[in-house]
Amino acid sequence: MRLALEQARLAEEAGEVPIGCVIVLDGEVIAAAHNQTRILKDPTAHAEILALSQAARERAEMRLPGATVYTTVEPCFMCAGACSHARAERVVWGVADPKFGGCVSLGNVLTHPQSNHRAEITEGVCADEARTLLQQFFRNLRGGS
């Protein structure tokens, strides 16, 4: 999760919402990315989507069984769906997203009993640090101190 937080800081430096993602398979980091929606002018350029694409290219496979996705914020429905399609074994995040979260906050894409793939989920890893990054970003965006 520390590496995902480093990615989130890179996003913040680039003027993006500070969300970072790292994918680990067999004890090795196979992908790392951060939000780039503003830079790429692409609403799908979330950290998780970019990292999953990178990991799939790295492995030359569309599925990533056994992979753990570490992300600083609870994945949205799009990103949770992508994790499910990639067959990620586990998804770990820092802070919940009550407005967009598709894993526990607004839905349960990764654990839905009718889904053909269910991932193990772990919430709250480095939550304080992830929350602080988000709060500072939005406070600065709104001109607060």
Side-chain angles (χ1 to χ4, degrees):
M1 185 59 82
R2 295 278 170 219
L3 294 175
L5 286 163
E6 287 177 22
Q7 287 294 315
R9 286 186 198 90
L10 292 174
E12 182 180 37
E13 289 170 13
E16 295 280 353
V17 176
I19 299 175
C21 181
V22 172
I23 300 177
V24 175
L25 184 61
D26 298 327
E28 175 189 349
V29 174
I30 60 169
H34 56 78
N35 271 15
Q36 294 186 50
T37 57
R38 289 172 168 87
I39 292 167
L40 298 176
K41 298 183 182 12
D42 179 352
T44 69
H46 290 197
E48 299 91 337
I49 297 295
L50 297 173
L52 286 164
S53 293
Q54 186 183 116
R57 283 190 309 274
E58 169 71 23
R59 293 293 173 173
E61 295 286 340
M62 63 181 260
R63 306 275 193 234
L64 300 167
T68 299
V69 176
Y70 293 91
T71 184
T72 57
V73 177
E74 175 187 359
C76 69
F77 283 90
M78 174 182 68
C79 294
C83 288
S84 183
H85 281 290
R87 305 298 193 261
E89 181 176 316
R90 184 173 174 221
V91 180
V92 179
W93 65 86
V95 65
D97 187 347
K99 293 182 179 179
F100 294 103
C103 302
V104 296
S105 294
L106 297 177
N108 60 344
V109 171
L110 294 173
T111 58
H112 196 282
Q114 291 179 310
S115 177
N116 67 332
H117 174 76
R118 285 175 288 290
E120 177 185 336
I121 61 172
T122 304
E123 305 175 62
V125 177
C126 299
D128 290 339
E129 199 168 343
R131 184 178 299 103
T132 298
L133 276 171
L134 286 168
Q135 288 172 340
Q136 287 174 345
F137 175 81
F138 286 110
R139 193 175 301 123
N140 291 341
L141 190 68
R142 293 180 184 110
S145 49

